Amino acid sequence: MVMQVIDKLFERMSRRTAQKMSRRNFVATLGAALAGASMLPVLPVARKAQAAEDPGVEWAKRVGAQTTDPKACNYWRYCSSDGYLCSCCGGGPATCPPGSTPSPTSWVGSCLNPDDGKMYLIAYRDCCGKDSCAQCSCLGTAGEMPSYRPQLNNDIIWCFGGSSMIYHCSSAAIVGQV
Amino acid sequence: MTRSMASALLAIFFSGAAISASEPLPTSPGVGAPETVDPSTVPDVLVRRNGTVLPRVSGAAEDYSRHCQGCHGHLGDSVVEVPRLKGRVGLFTHSPEGRAYIVQVPNVLQAHLSDARLAALLNWLLREYSGAELPGAFMPYTEAEVAQARAHRLESVIDRRREVIDGLVRLGVVPSPEIFAFATDPARY
C-alpha cells in the first residue's frame, strides 16, 4: 500500500520533470553542481575542517614522514619529540645510549605511520643521568599541550621519578597500535 | 585460563620480548588485553628487525594509555612520587565520598575526556588494576555520576583525601590508613 503511493508519487514527479525540463537543462544543472562541489574545499568552512585533522596526521604529511631512518627528524615516531634524538647519541628510538638511563615516566602521544596509515601510541621517554647529547635536535609538537598541562608537554624534562634529573636525549618507543 | 594466569603469561611474554629486542617493555595498558599485532605487519625498520610484539589498544585502554599511563605506568604501579593504583584504588569505591573523590582528583577532573569516556575509563582501570578490592556489589560509574562529581572542584585535594581515607577506616573497609600512605613519606596518607 505504502509502496504503491510512493511509486505513484515518484512517477508523477519524474513525468512532470520530463515535461518541463529539457535534457540540456539537466546536464547544465548537473555540471554546475559538480563544478560547485569541486570548489567547496576552497571555502573557509572546508579549510577549517581540514585544520581539525589529527595533529599526528598533519605532521606526517607536512614533514614527509618515513619509517626507515631513525636518525632523521622526519622518522615517523618523532611527531611529538622535542630534543636530541637518542638514535644520534649511541642509542636508538627506544634504547638509551650507554651511560644514561630511561626515565620511569613518560608522556604518551600518537603518530601516524605513513606506510600503513595507522596510528600508533608512542611513549616519549627521556634518557637521563648524563650531560646533554646535543646531536640531532628535532622539534615535533603534534598533540602537545601548553606547560600548564605538563602531562602532555614536551618542554619539560621527562626524567621525573628517576635517579637523575639530568637530560641526555629523547627516545620514542612504540607502546601499541591504536 | 583465569585472568591472572593470562596476565602473568603475557607479562612473561612481554618481558621476554623486551630482553631480546631493543624496544623497552611494551607498556601495554591492560596486561589482560591479549590482542597483539604481528610485527611483520608493522612498517617500521626496528619493529621488523627486532620482531617487537605490540599490543593493540582501543577504547578505555587507549584512553588510559594516553591520559594516565605515562606516570601511573602500564601496570598501575610506577615511581614513588605517583600514587599507586594497583591493589589499592578500588578501596575508594567503598564509600560515596571515595567514589566522588577519585573523579575529583585534579588530573582526572580536568582530563580532556567527556564524562561518558571518563566513566568508561574509571570502570576499566578499577577492574584492571584493583578488581579484588572492589565491593562485591560494585556499581560501575555512569556518565551522570561522573558529571555530578566533576562539577565539584576540591579546595584541597590532600585534606579531602585524608577525610575520605578516615571515613574508609571508620567503615571498616581498611583497618588503618597505612595502605594509602605516600611512598615518599610513609607517615603521611
Side-chain angles (χ1 to χ4, degrees):
Chain A
M1 178 67 194
V2 180
M3 290 310 287
Q4 278 173 349
V5 173
I6 295 176
D7 207 38
K8 279 242 173 70
L9 185 73
F10 273 84
E11 194 194 348
R12 208 181 305 157
M13 275 167 65
S14 357
R15 281 184 191 281
R16 201 170 293 166
T17 312
Q19 281 165 2
K20 281 190 180 166
M21 247 169 72
S22 69
R23 285 185 201 183
R24 268 188 199 199
N25 181 315
F26 174 71
V27 172
T29 313
L30 181 71
L34 283 178
S38 70
M39 291 300 282
L40 266 179
V42 186
L43 296 173
V45 187
R47 270 185 280 151
K48 194 175 173 197
Q50 274 171 3
E53 100 183 324
D54 186 282
V57 176
E58 189 274 326
W59 179 88
K61 283 184 187 163
R62 183 161 44 81
V63 304
Q66 45 83 20
T67 59
T68 50
D69 180 11
K71 293 187 177 182
C73 285
N74 69 346
Y75 179 57
W76 69 284
R77 298 186 193 188
Y78 300 148
C79 72
S80 313
S81 182
D82 176 4
Y84 306 121
L85 302 182
C86 291
S87 300
C88 298
C89 309
T95 37
C96 287
S100 65
T101 49
S103 163
T105 56
S106 64
W107 73 285
V108 178
S110 57
C111 298
L112 174 79
N113 184 309
D115 293 346
D116 66 3
K118 290 183 176 145
M119 297 297 288
Y120 290 81
L121 296 176
I122 311 287
Y124 294 100
R125 192 181 299 279
D126 289 340
C127 294
C128 314
K130 197 177 169 185
D131 275 346
S132 200
C133 153
Q135 302 288 317
C136 303
S137 176
C138 300
L139 175 62
T141 56
E144 190 203 15
M145 290 282 155
S147 51
Y148 55 79
R149 294 194 72 99
Q151 60 271 56
L152 289 174
N153 177 269
N154 63 17
D155 298 324
I156 61 170
I157 299 288
W158 277 100
C159 290
F160 170 67
S163 52
S164 165
M165 281 297 287
I166 300 170
Y167 168 83
H168 184 57
C169 62
S170 304
S171 78
I174 311 183
V175 295
Q177 188 189 68
V178 178
Chain B
M1 191 166 14
T2 63
R3 193 182 175 81
S4 58
M5 271 170 72
S7 302
L9 276 176
L10 266 161
I12 294 164
F13 181 57
F14 278 146
S15 52
I19 294 162
S20 63
S22 64
E23 299 276 349
L25 188 75
T27 40
S28 145
V31 206
E35 204 187 345
T36 52
V37 182
D38 176 1
S40 70
T41 65
V42 181
D44 175 74
V45 59
L46 294 170
V47 170
R48 286 198 178 154
R49 189 193 299 156
N50 301 325
T52 313
V53 178
L54 299 169
R56 199 188 306 278
V57 279
S58 61
E62 182 186 342
D63 283 337
Y64 179 82
S65 264
R66 289 177 179 273
H67 298 271
C68 323
Q69 177 178 319
C71 292
H72 281 289
H74 70 292
L75 297 173
D77 189 4
S78 178
V79 294
V80 293
E81 291 89 341
V82 180
R84 175 166 56 85
L85 302 175
K86 196 171 180 59
R88 184 164 97 162
V89 67
L91 294 170
F92 283 108
T93 65
H94 285 256
S95 74
E97 297 77 23
R99 280 184 74 108
Y101 170 75
I102 56 174
V103 179
Q104 289 158 346
V105 168
N107 282 347
V108 177
L109 185 121
Q110 297 178 37
H112 283 190
L113 290 169
S114 68
D115 296 331
R117 274 172 70 180
L118 190 51
L121 168 53
L122 285 166
N123 292 331
W124 180 88
L125 85 81
L126 284 165
R127 292 193 178 108
E128 184 73 18
Y129 298 119
S130 197
E133 289 73 33
L134 293 176
F138 171 67
M139 294 287 286
Y141 282 88
T142 61
E143 180 180 359
E145 182 181 0
V146 168
Q148 200 185 1
R150 241 178 163 182
H152 178 69
R153 191 180 60 84
L154 298 177
E155 287 288 318
S156 165
V157 182
I158 293 295
D159 291 347
R160 184 63 181 155
R161 188 173 190 277
R162 197 166 301 143
E163 283 168 21
V164 167
I165 291 170
D166 288 342
L168 292 173
V169 175
R170 276 197 305 276
L171 283 173
V173 175
V174 287
S176 74
E178 209 175 309
I179 188 172
F180 296 105
F182 286 103
T184 44
D185 181 2
R188 237 160 37 103
Y189 66 88

